[in-house]
Amino acid sequence: MKKLIFIALLSFVLAPAMAQHNGHNCGNCPHHKQHGASCQQQQKQQPATINGLAAEVVKAFPEARSVKKEDKWSVVYNAKLQVLGYAVYSKPASDGIKGYNGETPLMIALDKNQKVLCVVLLPNNETPGYLQRVLDAGLLSSWNGMKTGKAAKKKVDTVAGATFSSKSIIETVQAALKKL
């Protein structure tokens, strides 16, 4: 009798998970294709370097040749050791801010006058399709040209169809800029 109750309870607990995957792990159903794409994107998003500099720094500052980490940010220099701007990483200020599948860490590039040049999304576990909606909507450029104080307070709308991901990005930008 105890075995029968245990089996009944086990099937009650496992049934929803089995139903979601139809009891298989084929890699060809929509869920597994999406998961596979997400894993492939994660592999592509591994931190990369170009000439020893983080790829996101080079993306924001093509002339960058060196970076010096300081308390609030990293100072970015050109070959003549002239300051190009600053790289502000959202971690640890954004710890705990989560999108649909976790945190959405960012690097915010500032010019010499501490105006936002661009926001660069770093490796994360968000669903690629939702992130594409965020990118297509131009959310990451919402703060471009703004001084850090004003950008930290700017009210930005979430992206329809990608609410969790866009809300996480907005809150992450705000948290990172408020620490300055």
Side-chain angles (χ1 to χ4, degrees):
M1 182 67 174
K2 287 181 183 179
K3 286 182 183 179
L4 185 59
I5 293 173
F6 176 75
I7 292 171
L9 280 173
L10 189 60
S11 65
F12 180 77
V13 170
L14 293 178
M18 296 290 285
Q20 179 182 2
H21 297 304
N22 295 324
H24 71 282
N25 187 3
C26 65
N28 291 323
C29 68
H31 168 77
H32 289 109
K33 282 183 181 177
Q34 181 180 29
H35 177 70
S38 175
C39 291
Q40 289 170 1
Q41 182 183 23
Q42 288 171 15
Q43 290 172 357
K44 291 178 189 173
Q45 289 182 353
Q46 292 302 316
T49 59
I50 300 170
N51 296 328
L53 298 174
E56 65 270 10
V57 170
V58 175
K59 179 179 179 180
F61 302 97
E63 297 175 23
R65 294 299 175 263
S66 62
V67 176
K68 181 182 177 194
K69 175 83 172 105
E70 293 188 358
D71 188 39
K72 300 187 295 186
W73 50 41
S74 296
V75 183
V76 182
Y77 299 94
N78 66 12
K80 295 180 182 179
L81 297 178
Q82 297 168 319
V83 174
L84 296 173
Y86 309 93
V88 177
Y89 288 87
S90 62
K91 304 283 276 160
S94 64
D95 287 351
I97 299 172
K98 297 193 184 304
Y100 187 75
N101 285 324
E103 296 179 351
T104 52
L106 305 166
M107 188 276 296
I108 303 166
L110 306 175
D111 67 13
K112 292 186 285 188
N113 299 314
Q114 299 180 22
K115 288 184 179 179
V116 176
L117 286 173
C118 64
V119 175
V120 179
L121 187 61
L122 299 177
N124 59 77
N125 292 320
E126 291 298 279
T127 306
Y130 294 131
L131 282 181
Q132 192 59 52
R133 289 181 187 182
V134 169
L135 298 174
D136 291 346
L139 180 68
L140 296 181
S141 63
S142 297
W143 301 272
N144 289 2
M146 300 179 78
K147 293 284 262 179
T148 57
K150 188 174 180 180
K153 296 174 185 171
K154 182 179 181 182
K155 300 291 182 204
V156 179
D157 292 332
T158 58
V159 176
T163 305
F164 290 110
S165 299
S166 56
K167 183 177 181 210
S168 176
I169 290 169
I170 293 164
E171 291 177 7
T172 298
V173 168
Q174 292 169 344
L177 293 177
K178 284 178 183 174
K179 76 176 186 177
L180 299 179

